[in-house]
Amino acid sequence: MRIDLHCHSTASDGTDTPAELVRNAAAAGLDVVALTDHDTTRGYGEAIAALPEGLTLVTGAELSCRVDGISMHMLAYLFDPAEPALLAERELVRDDRVPRAKGMIAKLNALGVPVTWEQVERIAAGGSVGRPHVATALVELGVVPTVSDAFTEEWLADGGRAYVEKHETDPFEAIRLVKNAGGVCVFAHPAAAKRGRTVPEARIAELAEAGLDGVEVDHMDHDADARDRLRGLAKELDLLVTGSSDYHGSRKTVALGAYTTDPEVYGEITRRATGAFPVPGTGGA
Ligand SMILES: [Zn+2]
Ligand SMILES: [Zn+2]
């Protein structure tokens, strides 16, 4: 059984539509795929309508959080998408995305980069606009060779020259909101040092105490040392260990199913969740 629990669609900053994503997931030989767009659930309907037989969809989202001034991502699975408190928090974070992107564009303009809001809006193509869209504009303009090269101190990494903070949820509050909506929380790529400062282990222990369910260990942004360290920490804190591609379509090079989650861990996630059930494919449209 092949399980990939972290994928993005055009509902946020991926390049596959939700329908394309589930078809590609089936073609890649996956049995289970999670749709985890940034701070939104709006891809669910299209993904479910197109879901091929033999593929199960786990509904989720990747929530933008910040603790001690450090940005971090929290994967939330199988929560009730209509639960009002979590819904309001997702909207608060999303509403801040446009002014934030405009702030980054202004900083880039001041640095002599001729990026425009129209260009970034075109790249986002109706999706919830984010830093990868601004990064893609930098690639289009020939400022950097790849999107990853834009995520450096020189440009868009946390604290970088063109970085702008956004409203992000306190992760303790995120855990409370997700649990209250019947969901399960997994800390996404906790050791992705290339993206900026990472959350200290002592803080992860506190998050575990507050109800964090797991940590994403097998991820493209973690080297072998980071994975070993996280696996040890997960064991110590009794946290679930997941692996996933963090697929963004053609925006990143990683393939669907490049990293996967153990079926036992997946089973435990579905047992803990009470807000929604995994959706089995029925053939799709
Ligand atoms: Zn992330
Ligand atoms: Zn992601």
Side-chain angles (χ1 to χ4, degrees), residues 72-231:
M72 56 166 283
H73 290 167
M74 185 74 82
L75 291 161
Y77 298 113
L78 300 171
F79 56 85
D80 172 4
E83 193 284 317
L86 181 55
L87 179 63
E89 184 62 24
R90 289 197 302 278
E91 280 171 356
L92 191 61
V93 171
R94 278 208 312 277
D95 287 348
D96 200 44
R97 285 181 161 253
V98 169
R100 183 198 187 214
K102 288 186 171 167
M104 287 189 280
I105 289 165
K107 284 193 169 180
L108 287 165
N109 290 162
L111 291 166
V113 179
V115 57
T116 63
W117 168 246
E118 288 67 30
Q119 184 188 8
V120 172
E121 207 179 20
R122 169 178 56 74
I123 292 165
S128 155
V129 61
R131 247 193 304 186
H133 298 127
V134 180
T136 300
L138 293 186
V139 175
E140 277 189 4
L141 292 166
V143 175
V144 288
T146 71
V147 163
S148 319
D149 292 299
F151 282 83
T152 58
E153 295 283 299
E154 196 184 352
W155 301 110
L156 297 171
D158 290 3
R161 294 190 304 166
Y163 176 71
V164 173
E165 273 195 1
K166 61 172 171 174
H167 172 80
E168 293 166 313
T169 310
D170 176 279
F172 293 93
E173 173 72 357
I175 290 170
R176 199 186 62 73
L177 289 167
V178 171
K179 297 267 149 175
N180 186 48
V184 173
C185 284
V186 173
F187 189 163
H189 46 76
K194 220 185 140 186
R195 298 168 182 237
R197 283 198 297 145
T198 58
V199 176
E201 290 189 0
R203 201 51 105 194
I204 300 178
E206 289 172 17
L207 290 168
E209 213 151 287
L212 179 70
D213 292 283
V215 280
E216 190 179 52
V217 173
D218 294 308
H219 184 282
M220 63 180 293
D221 291 353
H222 294 161
D223 60 19
D225 276 358
R227 288 178 207 189
D228 283 350
R229 211 161 20 81
L230 283 171
R231 240 180 265 282

Side-chain angles (χ1 to χ4, degrees), residues 6 38 62 73 188-189 195 246:
H6 183 170
H38 296 286
E62 186 172 20
H73 290 167
H189 46 76
R195 298 168 182 237
D246 201 355

